[in-house]
Amino acid sequence: LQPLVLLLALGSAAALPVSGAIRLERLLTRRELDVMHLMAAGETNAQIAEALVVSEGTVKSHVKRIFSKLAASSRTEAVSRAGSLGLL
């Protein structure tokens, strides 16, 4: 995840070359992006689980991986970083 550390230091993905943008799109899985969008909308884990027809434990696993991939320690920080990286 070294490219992510660099992106976070720069604060934006706007100036990425095409190859960097492709890697950024692959940073989160499709399902993690689904969870991220619902987190950004303020949904709780239970609400996300219901919307995606998965267990709350599955949502918690996705959230944990999102935090790790985005080097975030809270939902707010993860959403902010995802937004600044153009993932939302």
Side-chain angles (χ1 to χ4, degrees), residues 21-42:
I22 291 169
R23 282 194 307 269
L24 182 59
E25 288 175 3
R26 294 181 185 160
L27 178 64
L28 298 180
T29 67
R30 178 73 241 160
R31 202 54 155 178
E32 289 167 348
L33 285 170
D34 293 341
V35 170
M36 175 58 66
H37 282 280
L38 292 168
M39 283 173 43

Side-chain angles (χ1 to χ4, degrees), residues 8-73:
L8 293 175
L10 296 174
S12 174
L16 279 179
V18 172
S19 63
I22 291 169
R23 282 194 307 269
L24 182 59
E25 288 175 3
R26 294 181 185 160
L27 178 64
L28 298 180
T29 67
R30 178 73 241 160
R31 202 54 155 178
E32 289 167 348
L33 285 170
D34 293 341
V35 170
M36 175 58 66
H37 282 280
L38 292 168
M39 283 173 43
E43 302 288 345
T44 65
N45 287 348
Q47 291 168 325
I48 294 170
E50 184 176 336
L52 299 179
V53 192
V54 297
S55 73
E56 195 169 343
T58 298
V59 173
K60 289 178 183 180
S61 293
H62 287 310
V63 171
K64 184 177 179 179
R65 282 193 303 276
I66 290 167
F67 283 7
S68 176
K69 289 179 177 183
L70 296 180
S73 59

